[in-house]
């Protein structure tokens, strides 16, 4: 079977998204359609389509008479994203604990193995991929196409924040511990324990982002 090449707009999307996540294009940085097309040797049409997708996924925003710019990180958006994510992924856990199959359990095990390798050998910023993948498998295990699509969109909104906070051995270690506890509760079919571990993990992630990405102190007990 001859595989079709990826559409140019997807390649442009992936390139620009990586630039935003790696801060090759800084928050509030402008994205000029003609300039991008010239830099990557493309026509303006796939660049325009990629910019529309990036706006839809929450990476950039359209400014009248200016064009596009990378969205800045802010507390209000972060708080809203986390609350929506908590509700959706808690529901996913309730369903996954009853429906998860051997294939997805093995996928989680492999994810944890790869994460441990990153923790040991680095570079630690590669863990972002496995962090996103772990939650993707967890939600997929719930067996709901609609819930999966909702959670995917929320995770895309989270990437701008998480890419700043997952940079060190400490943050990777803490996230991996949370994933391991979630996995253990899932294997034990402990629904309440699973929900508790997920919520604790998401709360830690939120406080980590506040401290490292938004430079805000953690909430006081």
């Amino acid at each position: 079977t001859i595989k079709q090449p990826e559409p140019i707009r997807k390649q442009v999307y992936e390139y620009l998204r990586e630039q935003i996540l790696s801060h090759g294009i800084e928050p509030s940085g402008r994205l000029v359609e003609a300039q991008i097309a010239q830099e990557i040797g493309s026509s303006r049409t796939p660049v325009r389509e990629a910019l529309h997708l990036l706006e839809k996924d929450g990476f950039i925003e359209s400014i009248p008479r200016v064009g596009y710019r990378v969205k800045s990180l802010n507390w209000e958006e972060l708080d809203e994203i986390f609350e929506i994510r908590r509700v959706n992924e808690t529901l996913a856990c309730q369903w996954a604990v009853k429906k998860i199959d051997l294939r997805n359990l093995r996928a989680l095990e492999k994810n944890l193995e790869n994460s441990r390798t990153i923790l040991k050998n680095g570079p630690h910023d590669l863990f972002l991929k496995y962090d996103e993948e772990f939650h993707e498998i967890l939600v997929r295990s719930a067996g709901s196409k609609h819930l999966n699509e909702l959670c995917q969109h929320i995770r895309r909104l989270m990437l701008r924040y998480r890419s700043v906070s997952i940079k060190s051995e400490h943050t990777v270690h803490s996230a991996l511990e949370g994933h391991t506890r979630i996995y253990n509760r899932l294997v034990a079919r402990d629904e309440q324990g699973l929900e508790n571990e997920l919520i604790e993990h998401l709360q830690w992630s939120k406080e980590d982002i506040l401290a490292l990405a938004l430079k805000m102190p953690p909430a006081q007990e």
Side-chain angles (χ1 to χ4, degrees):
T1 302
I2 299 175
K3 294 184 178 180
Q4 295 294 325
E6 288 188 341
I8 296 177
R9 67 174 180 276
K10 184 175 181 181
Q11 297 179 51
V12 177
Y13 171 91
E14 295 291 344
Y15 167 75
L16 292 175
R17 189 181 81 150
E18 178 57 32
Q19 288 293 305
I20 292 169
L21 293 178
S22 65
H23 286 245
I25 305 174
E26 294 288 346
S28 298
R30 289 187 61 195
L31 298 113
V32 180
E33 183 182 304
Q35 181 180 336
I36 294 170
Q38 183 177 10
E39 286 176 357
I40 65 177
S42 166
S43 67
R44 294 177 62 167
T45 299
V47 173
R48 186 180 308 118
E49 293 172 344
L51 290 173
H52 286 322
L53 289 173
L54 287 166
E55 182 181 23
K56 178 182 177 182
D57 288 344
F59 289 98
I60 63 177
E61 57 188 345
S62 177
I63 308 297
R65 295 181 296 279
V66 172
Y68 290 99
R69 72 180 180 191
V70 178
K71 292 182 67 176
S72 298
L73 308 180
N74 68 83
W75 157 249
E76 291 80 8
E77 181 184 48
L78 178 67
D79 193 43
E80 181 178 323
I81 290 171
F82 262 99
E83 186 60 22
I84 296 171
R85 185 174 182 183
R86 181 188 64 79
V87 172
N88 286 340
E89 290 201 20
T90 296
L91 178 59
C93 283
Q94 292 171 358
W95 291 350
V97 79
K98 300 179 179 69
K99 298 180 179 180
I100 191 166
D101 56 22
L102 186 60
R103 179 177 62 87
N104 282 320
L105 281 173
R106 293 287 180 265
L108 288 173
E109 290 173 5
K110 183 64 177 177
N111 176 277
L112 293 175
E113 289 175 10
N114 290 332
S115 298
R116 293 186 190 105
T117 299
I118 292 296
L119 177 61
K120 181 179 179 181
N121 301 323
H124 295 113
D125 55 1
L126 290 181
F127 176 72
L128 181 65
K129 167 188 172 182
Y130 295 109
D131 180 60
E132 185 180 15
E133 181 186 75
F134 181 89
H135 289 272
E136 179 182 341
I137 299 168
L138 181 65
V139 172
R140 188 174 70 216
S141 302
S144 169
K145 175 184 175 182
H146 299 301
L147 182 58
N148 190 31
E149 290 174 350
L150 289 170
C151 289
Q152 282 183 353
H153 177 65
I154 294 300
R155 283 197 303 274
R156 285 195 293 268
L157 295 177
M158 275 290 306
L159 275 175
R160 289 185 304 118
Y161 294 90
R162 207 71 176 105
S163 66
V164 179
S165 65
I166 298 186
K167 296 280 187 186
S168 68
E169 181 177 352
H170 167 71
T171 54
V172 172
H173 182 268
S174 298
L176 179 53
E177 278 194 339
H179 289 177
T180 302
R181 289 195 296 268
I182 289 170
Y183 170 78
N184 289 338
R185 295 293 188 180
L186 188 58
V187 170
R189 298 296 197 270
D190 179 359
E191 181 176 330
Q192 188 57 58
L194 176 60
E195 290 180 33
N196 292 342
E197 293 293 357
L198 173 75
I199 291 171
E200 182 177 339
H201 173 65
L202 292 179
Q203 182 61 33
W204 170 84
S205 177
K206 180 179 179 181
E207 292 181 2
D208 191 50
I209 291 170
L210 287 175
L212 297 175
L214 299 181
K215 309 299 183 184
M216 295 175 65
Q220 299 297 318
E221 296 293 337

